[in-house]
Amino acid sequence: MLSRSPALGPLLVRGAVRSPFKRPHPRASYPRTRLTLPSLRVDSARLAAYERVCGFPAGAGVLPVTYPHLLGFPLAMRLMSRADFPLPLLGLVHTSIDITRHIALPATGTYELTVYIAGLQPHRRGTEAVVVTELREGGAVVWASTSTYLARHRTDGTAPEPREASEPAADERREPLPEVDRWRLAGDLGRRYGAASGDRNPIHLHPLSARLFGFPRAIAHGMWTVARCLAAHDTPDAALVRAAFRAPVLLPGEVVYAADAIGRFELRAPDGHRTHLTGEVLPLLT
């Protein structure tokens, strides 16, 4: 049980320092601890900054569907920066997120937040950690997410790469989704989202710091890309959202937001040669 949310900066530094000593493997042991904030209230100024940078309506009085992930991220980082977490924090890639929202969440509500590592799983490019975040109100789960984070390392190549529900099988490839809008992304987008979210990973902040990790320019946060798409999408109060992060979005840049009538969406390069994000929104029966 925690009394307050941990500060992200020291956790990122701790995880970076420990990264060279990690030995990732899908059968490695991992922390079984569940971290809980029992009486969480949302900072209205921080919420407003998040709404602005992601394109959600300002002052709507409810939390954007992706916002609880931001609330749980410091707890996830506390677990993944521990000495007994086997994957290196440096280079860890957020590969997918599934979100289940049961009701609209009042921005003025008081919630119980819990984050834990559900397990490790093999991936043909390395090992993935499965991280679960749950938000409760009155003892009932009102929002939950499952994220996968990939640590790339040498494998025998036999493990299957998990197929997301939003990705068709090889024998049923579809045409690109209809274009809805084009967005020009400024070079400072990573810094603005970092200020609103607290996630100041250097790969998002500046071209020079991004080059240290092999990127030619700064890249947009994956969670910004899915949040921006959902801000433009019609998401019911009770919904299942699935998203898979396919390729980084370089900053500055331009992207195409595309969607269809049955709830699928994607973010792709204007020339259509690269898909950055695929996802779908499914209404939940209540």
Side-chain angles (χ1 to χ4, degrees), residues 28-282:
S29 61
Y30 58 89
R32 270 23 184 220
T33 306
R34 289 178 177 239
L35 298 180
T36 298
L37 278 171
S39 299
L40 175 69
R41 295 184 64 85
V42 173
D43 183 311
S44 59
R46 189 180 179 194
L47 173 60
Y50 181 86
E51 290 169 338
R52 285 194 298 271
V53 75
C54 295
F56 289 103
V62 297
L63 300 182
V65 63
T66 49
Y67 197 74
H69 172 85
L70 180 150
L71 299 175
F73 189 63
L75 280 67
M77 287 298 101
R78 180 161 175 168
L79 291 172
M80 291 193 286
S81 64
R82 286 174 44 153
D84 57 349
F85 180 70
L87 308 186
L89 198 59
L90 280 181
L92 206 61
V93 178
H94 195 182
T95 50
S96 73
I97 185 168
D98 289 1
I99 296 172
T100 302
R101 182 175 67 179
H102 296 281
I103 59 172
L105 304 174
T108 55
T110 300
Y111 302 98
E112 180 183 277
L113 176 70
T114 299
V115 178
Y116 61 94
I117 298 170
L120 304 177
Q121 60 189 22
H123 187 286
R124 67 182 179 87
R125 294 192 181 100
T127 299
E128 283 186 323
V130 182
V131 180
V132 174
T133 302
E134 296 173 340
L135 205 64
R136 287 179 171 82
E137 185 179 40
V141 175
V142 291
W143 185 100
S145 75
T146 300
S147 283
T148 55
Y149 295 90
L150 173 66
R152 291 188 173 96
H153 59 85
R154 184 173 296 177
T155 71
D156 60 12
T158 60
E161 185 169 359
R163 175 193 161 198
E164 301 300 325
S166 56
E167 181 185 9
D171 59 354
E172 54 185 43
R173 296 296 181 190
R174 54 170 171 75
E175 292 297 314
L177 298 179
E179 179 176 335
V180 177
D181 203 356
R182 293 192 176 213
W183 301 326
R184 295 193 63 82
L185 311 181
D188 67 346
L189 174 61
R191 295 190 290 276
R192 290 189 289 116
Y193 182 84
S197 67
D199 182 0
R200 293 182 172 88
N201 187 317
I203 64 175
H204 305 301
L205 303 182
H206 193 276
L208 292 179
S209 56
R211 287 189 195 114
L212 296 176
F213 297 89
F215 297 100
R217 305 197 298 274
I219 65 172
H221 293 72
M223 283 305 300
W224 178 87
T225 64
V226 68
R228 182 66 186 91
C229 287
L230 292 172
H233 204 83
D234 183 18
T235 306
D237 289 344
L240 168 63
V241 176
R242 293 172 173 166
F245 306 106
R246 303 294 179 191
V249 176
L250 296 176
L251 300 174
E254 183 178 12
V255 291
V256 170
Y257 164 65
D260 64 16
I262 61 174
R264 296 180 299 178
F265 63 89
E266 65 185 21
L267 203 64
R268 61 178 184 254
D271 61 10
H273 291 162
R274 172 172 286 195
T275 299
H276 302 290
L277 172 77
T278 59
E280 62 181 343
V281 176
L282 302 172

